[in-house]
Amino acid sequence: MVNGGTVNNWICINFSRQVQDSVALRFCYELSQMCYISGMAFTPEPVLPPISARPEQVEKVLKTRYHDAMTKLQTQGKELDLLIVILPDNNGSLYGDLKRICETDLGIVSQCCLTKHVFKMSKQYLANVALKINVKVGGRNTVLVDAISRRIPLVSDRPTIIFGADVTHPHPGEDSSPSIAAVVASQDWPEITKYAGLVCAQAHRQELIQDLFKTWQDPVRGTVSGGMIKDGVSEGQFYQVLLYELDAIRKACASLEPNYQPPVTFVVVQKRHHTRLFANNHNDRNAVDKSGNILPGTVVDSKICHPTEFDFYLCSHAGIQGTSRPAHYHVLWDENKFTADALQSLTNNLCY
């Protein structure tokens, strides 16, 4: 861990009938020890003893136990940092219900663990869970060496925010469920490793994120601006997305400070495509990873790319199983290359 987070106050709820309270307590202790030796500040004792509950009582148990823990902590001016949850291996909708309640009703960080892992209690599993918990409570597990030494071109030169965004749609046949838009943004320049996120529901199968920028009337503050400041889109929608979302980003920036127009680079990443990359010599062990895939970090930006636009393929990590699928990046807008006049020209052409 580059920066270890802090968990001073935590509780555990067990929804598995197979796990006895003594086993749950032992598991939590081992997990707390792993978090501690990995670099976190983690109190070994819970605020309240682990409690067992039935899955159908999830909402009642969560809110009651949270209330009991907060009642004990608030007299000391403290907050609850973490909820550890033990789930049955086949838990149906329990996981989704639990996350919804924790993140929208209670506002508490939660870490779920399956029964099979609780019984095995392997060091590798505990180490992996410790890394997940550290990120959830504000720690950092990894940082790019080039970011620390400020060697990333453009990004390291001046304060920069990296945004990531996507829209997840309901399964085919679900005609009424909303699509879910999510946006994350880096918060720790120059390292650009720590990200905060926002999630919101929007119109069914709507690709454009609706709430990147919005205004509304507050009875006390008057006109208030905000929003989420993208998405699985087809190539035919690229420039529609660029115009809509770049405009939303511009408005969001201007709402922070008049004439605030930071340079923007806009990239669409495609994961669903049919291009695969292979080493020229499959028998050269220096050209492939353990699985026989191309080495992580491989970039292809010629021959199979667009003849005039700026796109490239990047295989960013090693493939454990099967053939690695490189991501296809399309740089739609780069302030270092384009001007406002060029954008206006593009807008006019699309409107025409």
Side-chain angles (χ1 to χ4, degrees):
M1 297 175 182
V2 176
N3 303 111
T6 300
V7 175
N8 289 322
N9 307 298
W10 59 276
I11 56 174
C12 173
I13 300 178
N14 171 29
F15 288 99
S16 174
R17 294 181 180 179
Q18 299 173 266
V19 179
Q20 297 177 329
D21 288 348
S22 59
V23 176
L25 186 59
R26 175 66 179 170
F27 172 78
C28 289
Y29 175 77
E30 292 294 332
L31 179 57
S32 71
Q33 289 301 106
M34 180 59 74
C35 289
Y36 176 75
I37 65 175
S38 298
M40 296 181 63
F42 203 110
T43 303
E45 295 295 325
V47 176
L48 300 171
I51 185 175
S52 296
R54 297 198 301 270
E56 58 268 23
Q57 296 179 319
V58 57
E59 185 163 4
K60 178 182 176 182
V61 171
L62 281 176
K63 292 183 176 179
T64 300
R65 203 60 174 170
Y66 175 79
H67 178 266
D68 292 344
M70 290 303 296
T71 299
K72 182 176 180 180
L73 291 171
Q74 282 176 343
T75 58
Q76 309 166 42
K78 299 178 180 178
E79 293 286 336
L80 192 60
D81 301 315
L82 176 69
L83 167 65
I84 299 173
V85 184
I86 298 174
L87 298 177
D89 292 333
N90 298 311
N91 56 77
S93 63
L94 177 58
Y95 175 82
D97 292 339
L98 186 143
K99 288 294 183 181
R100 174 181 54 80
I101 296 166
C102 286
E103 295 183 15
T104 62
D105 293 344
L106 303 180
I108 181 174
V109 172
S110 60
Q111 177 60 54
C112 296
C113 304
L114 294 178
T115 297
K116 59 184 179 183
H117 297 307
V118 170
F119 281 122
K120 286 183 180 178
M121 226 176 294
S122 74
K123 296 294 184 183
Q124 182 64 62
Y125 174 76
L126 292 173
N128 289 341
V129 174
L131 290 174
K132 294 181 69 175
I133 292 175
N134 188 48
V135 172
K136 291 178 180 180
V137 299
R140 299 190 301 177
N141 295 333
T142 57
V143 174
L144 289 172
V145 173
D146 282 359
I148 296 176
S149 56
R150 299 203 178 190
R151 293 201 305 262
I152 301 179
L154 301 179
V155 172
S156 297
D157 297 342
R158 51 183 162 175
T160 302
I161 300 177
I162 307 293
F163 287 99
D166 202 0
V167 175
T168 302
H169 302 297
H171 296 296
E174 292 187 36
D175 298 329
S176 58
S177 300
S179 292
I180 305 297
V183 177
V184 299
S186 61
Q187 294 188 307
D188 61 340
W189 182 87
E191 281 85 14
I192 55 171
T193 303
K194 189 174 178 179
Y195 285 75
L198 284 172
V199 177
C200 74
Q202 62 182 42
H204 176 76
R205 304 206 73 81
Q206 170 61 254
E207 290 287 7
L208 300 173
I209 295 180
Q210 299 299 288
D211 289 338
L212 279 178
F213 178 77
K214 60 182 179 179
T215 58
W216 66 94
Q217 292 298 317
D218 183 273
V220 177
R221 295 181 293 168
T223 302
V224 179
S225 63
M228 296 180 69
I229 230 8
K230 174 188 157 229
D231 1 14
V233 293
S234 64
E235 291 189 25
Q237 293 176 292
F238 278 0
Y239 289 98
Q240 176 193 4
V241 169
L242 170 63
L243 289 172
Y244 175 86
E245 298 188 356
L246 189 58
D247 180 60
I249 293 170
R250 291 283 189 229
K251 289 177 178 175
C253 291
S255 72
L256 296 174
E257 183 180 315
N259 300 318
Y260 176 47
Q261 292 286 305
V264 175
T265 297
F266 195 104
V267 184
V268 172
V269 186
Q270 287 183 306
K271 293 169 288 185
R272 295 192 181 112
H273 56 77
H274 301 293
T275 301
R276 302 293 182 270
L277 304 176
F278 302 93
N280 187 47
N281 182 0
H282 191 74
N283 296 318
D284 182 359
R285 304 315 300 173
N286 294 320
V288 295
D289 63 15
K290 294 179 182 178
S291 304
N293 282 301
I294 55 174
L295 294 174
T298 299
V299 174
V300 174
D301 59 2
S302 62
K303 305 295 184 183
I304 62 172
C305 299
H306 196 281
T308 58
E309 296 178 4
F310 181 23
D311 68 317
F312 59 92
Y313 292 89
L314 164 64
C315 184
S316 57
H317 54 79
I320 299 174
Q321 189 174 8
T323 302
S324 292
R325 178 184 300 181
H328 191 192
Y329 295 80
H330 299 254
V331 181
L332 298 186
W333 187 258
D334 186 351
E335 218 78 39
N336 295 297
K337 288 187 175 183
F338 305 129
T339 65
D341 291 340
L343 180 60
Q344 187 60 52
S345 176
L346 174 63
T347 305
N348 294 339
N349 290 334
L350 285 173
C351 291
Y352 176 78

